[in-house]
Amino acid sequence: MIAVFPGSFDPITRGHIAVLEAVLPLFETVYVAIGMNADKRGCFPVEQRKAWIRTCLGNNPKVQVVDYDCLTVDLCKKLNATYLIRGLRNQTDFQYEKDIAEANKLLWPALETMFIPTRPELSCISSSVVRDVYHHGGDCTPFLPDGVILP
């Protein structure tokens, strides 16, 4: 079984790593897919994000890191992945992700979305929070996995 874990990973956080660690035993391959959003400019270069992901996961052979600029469902088709992984921090995340999962199911009925609840101690962490702390000169280390050092 093959899964895709999409996101901006701008930067990758302790929450992202916890979700990956939860799903890795379930799949032969998990693609960590860095989505390119035309409406948003990333804070950190894609190649840096890829390097952080590889560092955090110790080059685990089950993990492949890719970037993409198409619909996530089209990426899943291309990679022959029939599972989509999404982390949930709260009810707002659930409603948003549920709507996307239903739209993806209409686009490709073979695609199943797995929701992984975030551990309570990580539920306040998001890439947006990290970027805000970073831009204001704060200490980001409580939010970041080992190996991620922001410039």
Side-chain angles (χ1 to χ4, degrees):
M1 292 192 310
I2 300 170
V4 169
F5 181 32
S8 69
F9 306 101
D10 190 25
I12 192 163
T13 68
R14 290 177 56 215
H16 293 128
I17 295 299
V19 168
L20 276 166
E21 289 172 345
V23 301
L24 276 173
L26 306 174
F27 296 98
E28 297 165 31
T29 303
V30 175
Y31 287 92
V32 179
I34 301 170
M36 302 296 124
N37 185 334
D39 297 330
K40 287 199 269 185
R41 189 174 146 254
C43 181
F44 301 102
V46 171
E47 290 307 315
Q48 177 63 73
R49 292 184 246 169
K50 287 180 177 180
W52 283 330
I53 294 165
R54 289 184 184 109
T55 297
C56 291
L57 298 166
N59 293 311
N60 184 320
K62 292 176 94 174
V63 176
Q64 301 294 318
V65 184
V66 297
D67 60 84
Y68 70 106
D69 64 356
C70 59
L71 289 174
T72 302
V73 71
D74 290 338
L75 175 70
C76 291
K77 287 178 185 179
K78 178 182 170 187
L79 299 173
N80 201 29
T82 53
Y83 289 89
L84 195 60
I85 307 302
R86 300 303 295 156
L88 299 177
R89 292 169 298 189
N90 53 44
Q91 271 185 310
T92 303
D93 280 358
F94 174 74
Q95 189 58 55
Y96 175 77
E97 294 295 344
K98 178 182 165 292
D99 291 347
I100 292 173
E102 290 170 356
N104 285 338
K105 193 74 166 165
L106 289 173
L107 293 170
W108 191 33
L111 186 63
E112 296 293 341
T113 300
M114 287 183 68
F115 298 121
I116 306 298
T118 303
R119 296 192 320 246
E121 69 272 19
L122 302 176
S123 66
C124 69
I125 300 174
S126 70
S127 293
S128 298
V129 167
V130 174
R131 288 191 305 270
D132 193 45
V133 171
Y134 174 76
H135 285 303
H136 289 91
D139 180 12
C140 296
T141 56
F143 310 108
L144 300 173
D146 292 340
V148 177
I149 301 167
L150 303 183

